[in-house]
Amino acid sequence: MTAVSPTHRIKSVPEKIGLLLNPTSGQVRKREKAIRKALEQITGAILCEATDAPGFIAATDTLIQSNLDLLVIIAGDGTSHAVLSHLFTILPVTQWPVLMIIPGGTTNMTPLDLGMRGKPEKILQRLAQYLQHPDNCNTVKQVQRPVLCIEQNGQQTIYGMFFATGLVARGVKFSRSSVKQIGITGGIFTFLIMLRSLIGLIFTRNNKEWAPVTMSITKENGESFQGTYLFALASALDCLLLNIRPYWGREPAPLHVTWVDQQRKHLWRCIWPLLSGKGEQLNAQDGYHSHNGHQLTIQMDDEYIVDGELYRSIGNESLHITATPPIAFLVL
């Protein structure tokens, strides 16, 4: 795994704090009373609430205009994705506040990968204690991560931490329509998506709902692949939900890329290495591909997801995926 996320102790305590809360996020809904009580302990902070994309944009604009040192997002991956995308459109990275993402959603892949552990209200309490007594806090650090930049002619540029198409995207689409309505969150939610996706492997040939994706993939060195694949993914995260690490490239580059052919060999025997980061034993000749890179080009006419949000590509225009410069996250 490539080292793209240097950490260091934060040198100064942020003074101007902005809080963006999505009260409809999975964990926030379940723990709203405790979260709001913890928010009251962060004195002097500016609190904005929003529940949809236009609201996230408006709230981000309001908070950024306050010249923040720290922007705290209490929500899930979808909200963080919307805020990141908007920040890239309005400010150069050098003018951003430090970000802090508290896992308040149904899925919280980004904050968990950054090292943010615990219930949302407990993390907010630790933040309040750090702001009030910084000399007594030994666990605060900054973590740096690049962000995926996904461009396609005629479409708005998308920014996020995790891109996927094929069975992964179809599993997420299913979760948004069915499982999410039940109110299940966290690891159980992720396990159900994975289970559904594995079931989908059995029906890929007979069920359009779980059809593999037909596309061409071009690496930055010009090497090109074209065919039908079970899935393809690109991530700026070292680890996905449930500690899944479905890539095994060794190149010193920030984007982790993996795809699996529809006509793969020994799939059931290879599932554990594929998910556990031990895929170096898997062979491209058998249909398993993984590498680290700085950019990737995909051409397809199909759906894909970025941080759990569903998009659709236009087949005659390529998707260009690159890595942005690293941005700073505060972790407690």
Side-chain angles (χ1 to χ4, degrees), residues 4-266:
V4 297
S5 54
T7 64
H8 56 80
R9 299 294 178 189
I10 191 167
K11 296 180 180 179
S12 59
V13 180
E15 297 180 359
K16 295 184 178 180
I17 315 297
L19 306 168
L20 198 164
L21 175 71
N22 182 353
T24 65
S25 292
Q27 286 292 328
V28 176
R29 287 200 315 269
K30 288 185 173 183
R31 316 183 69 81
E32 184 172 2
K33 184 176 180 180
I35 288 171
R36 290 191 181 278
K37 185 175 181 180
L39 286 171
E40 294 175 357
Q41 300 177 30
I42 306 175
T43 57
I46 304 168
L47 173 64
C48 289
E49 299 186 28
T51 60
D52 56 21
F56 302 146
I57 291 173
T60 302
D61 286 340
T62 297
L63 293 169
I64 289 298
Q65 289 169 7
S66 301
N67 195 26
L68 300 176
D69 298 313
L70 175 66
L71 173 57
V72 182
I73 303 167
I74 310 106
D77 290 327
T79 304
S80 301
H81 162 60
V83 173
L84 283 171
S85 291
H86 186 56
L87 282 174
F88 274 107
T89 65
I90 62 173
L91 283 177
V93 173
T94 54
Q95 296 179 22
W96 287 24
V98 174
L99 301 182
M100 182 177 185
I101 305 177
I102 293 179
T106 303
T107 59
N108 303 286
M109 189 156 51
T110 297
L112 291 175
D113 177 71
L114 295 171
M116 197 73 78
R117 299 288 187 269
K119 300 297 183 182
E121 66 273 18
K122 297 297 183 182
I123 298 174
L124 285 167
Q125 290 168 7
R126 295 202 299 266
L127 175 60
Q129 292 170 2
Y130 162 64
L131 294 172
Q132 296 168 13
H133 307 286
D135 294 337
N136 296 332
C137 184
N138 297 319
T139 60
V140 63
K141 61 184 179 181
Q142 276 191 13
V143 176
Q144 294 187 351
R145 285 287 190 280
V147 176
L148 304 181
C149 173
I150 303 160
E151 300 173 286
Q152 186 175 43
N153 287 340
Q155 304 294 317
Q156 184 175 358
T157 302
I158 299 169
Y159 295 89
M161 307 302 286
F162 177 75
F163 164 96
T165 188
L167 290 182
V168 178
R170 308 203 200 290
V172 171
K173 183 179 180 180
F174 159 77
S175 73
R176 291 175 61 84
S177 61
S178 302
V179 178
K180 195 171 183 179
Q181 304 305 318
I182 304 173
I184 298 173
T185 62
I188 297 176
F189 177 82
T190 306
F191 173 77
L192 289 176
I193 296 174
M194 288 182 58
L195 180 62
R196 177 72 172 181
S197 297
L198 289 173
I199 292 172
L201 288 174
I202 302 172
F203 298 104
T204 51
R205 295 183 180 180
N206 303 313
N207 191 331
K208 292 182 179 180
E209 180 183 0
W210 291 104
V213 56
T214 299
M215 61 184 174
S216 66
I217 302 171
T218 305
K219 298 167 63 173
E220 60 191 285
N221 63 4
E223 187 178 7
S224 185
F225 303 81
Q226 186 169 358
T228 303
Y229 303 97
L230 291 181
F231 68 85
L233 63 86
S235 178
L237 303 174
D238 289 339
C239 180
L240 307 183
L241 292 172
L242 299 182
N243 205 32
I244 294 171
R245 300 171 184 268
Y247 24 69
W248 53 93
R250 297 298 178 184
E251 299 87 348
L255 299 186
H256 309 307
V257 180
T258 296
W259 68 92
V260 175
D261 297 353
Q262 183 187 22
Q263 301 301 325
R264 72 284 164 189
K265 296 181 180 179
H266 317 301

